[in-house]
């Protein structure tokens, strides 16, 4: 692989105008496609195979008119202190408000709270349900404005009015202040690490180009593939983080090769052949892990995985082609000041720059410190991560609703008013679907189901059943006594299912419990069940891939165990922040609750690939030194001398990019930002830079041992670029030839 990438790097350098023009054309096409494509829709989560999803599918079949409904809103009215909404003046204000909405272009129906009985027992709170003919993203501004104007009209009459439901939901989009701060931090780190504005700008430029293309493609494919804004933001987050890092790794290696005296084209080839090999491997691990999320069976998670994988694949292609092409345009400005001074006047070939004879760098000093005290460093690091991971034992999974939104939003205030007036379970009603097509007596079966559900502890009320047009399906609503995300409601769903199973056995009816709350519970349980199998697959893949790369048995096991530690610590942070509320104010979390159910699997998939990034880039230099005769300790020092600073900079960049998304209003994106930023911090600075060298110091030569049978079976991917030592530049008279082979021993 190293020689193939070597050729690609040299070709891209020579054909820099063609390569740059091609990528610019792709960017323009992606932008045009995104501009002309219709806006995508925010789809609800689904989980094929679960009881709740089967019930939803049955409702779509037996109650087809419900398919025409789009967004919905709830206008929640609260009377002034000491008054009731049923008082004559308050009732008139409510009816005038609803009349102002009647006949709107996109309004499908409006309920009258006084006719439907949607008034609280104490008479202080009432609500009206409004349905629209279009989804939330397709509601026009005049339609939304009319809803807000109606609420303002009622407020003017002295009522407290809030708007719940999906009608005012806005599509989450990037571009906030915190994301910009993250990019600025990344730029500063690049400048400090590379010591060159040109080199830093090149890394940022190529990463932004790859992200822009990925974002454009996701936007263009939103409707055909059903991609949501969360998919686009994940693609942006991952593409930006890995794009900067991959460009940084190749740029750093190119500068090293130039400092050794290589000519520009040769330095490009060797940089892409060595660091580029690590980029390909690291990118492939991220892509495989993200694509593997499809096996869980949740369409939204599959789309997020594929969107992120596509963004990473683009980042790899940009790093391998556009980065070396731009080296040709930037010229000597890419190099450090020391190398530029060593360049002969009028020549692009620098003299080799000798290693500084002064004080060793921070990476070298740290590596030597760890080598002197491996047991102490290992014990402190493992115990520290273990302590941080302890909260993960209390991990609870769920899906956020209006209760997780900031208290200043009208949706959250509407949620609180409905809970106050109708009970905490009102915001998460359950739906019981009774399929009586195989039952002898539809009415008797339905009545028995109603009686059974009402008898279950924890049920506040059960509505009257509604029959389908064919009279073979009944639907009834059950309101829990507890909030949607509470553990009691989860137990209640299982209790109802257990109670009605007896009725189903006696009558032959198919009885299913569904609703948004039940679906969220089913998805969360499916995520919990899939967590261990997916983690096992990821760990097995890590051991296999690293065995191939480093031709070792113990190094992959060490890497996999370190990955488990970093992921466990990241889960501990999520529990502490989002469940327990620690530092919640700093993150902007106003309501604690279960961790977003998709996050553990998503974080495992992403962090697995990113952890392999740092493992490969750091240990590649160590193994390269070891196979060339260095002792195990010297190999560790060599790895930190050449890669420690770059890996630390890459980790800081990735942390800042991920942390930049914490300030967004979406709980999903906030959770993702906190989880990924903390996981990268633990993995890069504790696992790879403390635990890894300590373990290698204790193992010594055994770290690089590989049984003979595996040595014969495993392919040699040559990620360190050993074969490049037997290659030299081709003759200048052969413009399309990249290299020619020398006999072994003469390289």
């Amino acid at each position: 692989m190293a020689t193939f990438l070597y050729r690609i790097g040299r070709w891209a350098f020579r054909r820099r105008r063609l390569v740059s023009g091609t990528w610019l054309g792709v960017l323009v096409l992606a932008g045009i496609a995104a501009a002309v494509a219709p806006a995508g829709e925010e789809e609800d989560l689904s989980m094929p195979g679960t009881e709740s999803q089967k019930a939803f599918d049955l409702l779509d079949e037996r109650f087809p008119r419900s398919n025409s409904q789009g967004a919905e809103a709830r206008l929640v009215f609260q009377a002034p202190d000491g008054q009731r909404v049923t008082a004559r003046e308050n009732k008139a204000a409510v009816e005038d408000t609803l009349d102002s909405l009647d006949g709107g272009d996109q309004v499908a129906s409006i309920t009258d709270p006084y006719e439907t009985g949607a008034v609280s027992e104490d008479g202080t709170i009432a609500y009206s349900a409004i349905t629209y003919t279009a989804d939330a993203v397709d509601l026009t501004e005049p339609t939304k404005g009319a809803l807000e104007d109606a609420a303002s009209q009622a407020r003017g009459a002295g009522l407290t009015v809030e708007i719940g439901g999906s009608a005012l939901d806005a599509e989450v989009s990037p571009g906030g202040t915190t994301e910009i701060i993250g990019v600025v931090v990344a730029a500063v780190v690049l400048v400090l690490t590379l010591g060159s504005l040109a080199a830093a700008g090149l890394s940022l430029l190529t990463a932004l180009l790859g992200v822009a293309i990925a974002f454009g493609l996701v936007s263009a494919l939103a409707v055909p593939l059903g991609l949501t804004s969360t998919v686009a933001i994940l693609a942006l987050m991952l593409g930006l983080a890995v794009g900067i890092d991959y460009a940084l790794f190749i740029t750093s290696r190119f500068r090293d090769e130039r400092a050794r005296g290589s000519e520009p084209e040769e330095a490009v080839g060797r940089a892409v052949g060595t660091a580029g090999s690590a980029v390909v491997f690291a990118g492939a691990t991220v892509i495989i892990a993200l694509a593997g999320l499809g096996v869980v069976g949740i369409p939204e998670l599959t789309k997020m995985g594929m969107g992120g994988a596509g963004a990473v694949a683009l980042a790899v292609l940009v790093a391998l082609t556009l980065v070396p092409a731009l080296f040709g345009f930037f010229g000597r400005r890419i190099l450090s000041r020391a190398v530029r001074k060593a360049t002969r006047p009028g020549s692009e070939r620098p003299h080799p720059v000798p290693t500084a004879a002064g004080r060793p760098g921070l990476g070298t000093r740290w590596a030597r410190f760890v080598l002197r005290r491996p047991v102490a460093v290992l014990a402190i690091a493992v115990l520290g991560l273990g302590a941080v991971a302890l909260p993960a034992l209390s991990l609870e999974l769920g899906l956020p609703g209006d209760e997780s939104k900031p208290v200043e939003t009208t949706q959250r205030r509407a949620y609180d008013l409905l809970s106050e007036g109708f009970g905490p379970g009102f915001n998460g009603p359950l739906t019981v679907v009774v399929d009586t097509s195989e039952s002898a007596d539809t009415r008797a079966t339905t009545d028995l189901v109603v009686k059974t559900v009402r008898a279950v502890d924890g049920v506040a009320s059960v509505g009257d059943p509604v029959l389908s047009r064919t009279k073979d399906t009944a639907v009834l609503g059950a309101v829990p006594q507890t909030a949607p995300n509470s553990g009691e409601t989860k137990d209640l769903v299982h209790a109802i299912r257990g109670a009605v199973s007896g009725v189903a056995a006696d009558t032959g009816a198919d009885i299913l419990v569904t609703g948004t709350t039940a679906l969220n519970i089913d998805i969360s349980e499916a995520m919990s069940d899939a967590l261990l199998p997916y983690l096992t697959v990821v760990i097995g893949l890590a051991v296999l891939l690293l065995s191939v790369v480093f031709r070792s048995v113990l190094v992959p096991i060490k890497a996999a165990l370190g990955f488990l530690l970093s992921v466990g610590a990241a889960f501990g942070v999520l529990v502490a922040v989002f469940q327990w509320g620690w530092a919640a104010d700093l993150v902007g979390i106003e309501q604690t609750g279960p961790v977003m159910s998709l996050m553990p699997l998503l974080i495992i998939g992403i962090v697995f690939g990113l952890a392999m990034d740092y493992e490969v880039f750091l240990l590649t230099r160590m193994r390269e030194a070891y196979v060339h005769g260095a002792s195990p300790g010297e190999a560790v020092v060599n790895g930190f001398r050449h890669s420690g600073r770059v890996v630390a900079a890459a980790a800081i960049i990735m942390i800042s990019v991920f942390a930049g998304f914490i300030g967004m209003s979406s709980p999903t994106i906030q959770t993702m930002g906190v989880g990924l930023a903390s996981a990268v911090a633990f993995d890069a600075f504790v696992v790879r830079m403390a635990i890894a060298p300590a373990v290698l110091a204790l193992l010594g030569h055994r770290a690089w041992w590989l049984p003979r049978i595996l040595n014969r079976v495993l392919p040699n991917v040559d990620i360190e670029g050993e074969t490049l030592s037997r290659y030299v530049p081709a003759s200048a008279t052969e413009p399309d030839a990249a290299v020619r082979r020398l006999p072994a021993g003469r390289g």
Side-chain angles (χ1 to χ4, degrees), residues 487-510:
E488 291 85 354
T489 301
K490 177 181 177 181
D491 295 336
L492 176 62
V493 170
H494 292 300
I496 294 176
R497 287 173 174 169
V500 299
S501 63
V503 178
D506 294 338
T507 62
D510 190 12

Side-chain angles (χ1 to χ4, degrees), residues 51 99 251 278 309 317 745:
E51 177 175 326
D99 288 342
T251 301
L317 291 175

Side-chain angles (χ1 to χ4, degrees), residues 67-155:
N67 292 341
S68 63
Q69 294 179 351
E72 52 85 23
R74 277 180 174 172
L75 270 178
V76 186
F77 305 91
Q78 184 181 38
D81 291 343
Q83 299 184 27
R84 299 166 64 92
V85 290
T86 53
R88 184 177 59 182
E89 63 276 11
N90 293 332
K91 183 177 180 180
V94 170
E95 290 177 341
D96 289 343
T97 300
L98 299 180
D99 288 342
S100 69
L101 290 172
D102 195 16
D105 290 339
Q106 295 179 300
V107 175
S109 65
I110 302 175
T111 63
D112 187 327
Y114 304 106
E115 294 180 359
T116 60
V119 180
S120 63
E121 289 186 5
D122 60 4
T124 60
I125 297 174
Y127 72 90
S128 169
I130 305 165
T131 58
Y132 293 89
T133 58
D135 292 320
V137 294
D138 295 322
L139 291 181
T140 63
E141 289 304 320
T143 298
K144 294 182 178 181
L147 182 61
E148 293 172 333
D149 290 343
S152 298
Q153 174 183 326
R155 293 186 187 110

Side-chain angles (χ1 to χ4, degrees), residues 310-402:
V312 173
L314 269 172
V316 172
L317 291 175
V318 168
L320 297 179
T321 56
L322 184 59
V323 169
L326 293 183
F327 286 158
F329 288 115
F330 280 74
R332 297 174 62 249
R333 288 172 293 176
I334 295 292
L335 307 178
S336 65
R337 180 175 301 177
V339 176
R340 289 200 299 269
K341 288 181 178 180
T343 304
R344 294 197 297 264
S347 171
E348 276 294 308
R349 181 183 180 92
H351 297 293
V353 179
T355 303
R359 189 183 183 190
L362 179 60
T364 300
R365 297 199 304 274
W366 170 252
R368 290 173 178 169
F369 172 82
V370 175
L371 291 176
R372 290 194 301 269
R373 301 172 180 83
V375 175
V377 171
L378 181 62
I380 293 173
V382 171
L383 291 176
L385 286 182
V388 176
L390 282 177
L393 298 175
S394 303
L395 177 66
E396 297 179 5
L397 300 181
L399 292 173
D402 285 347

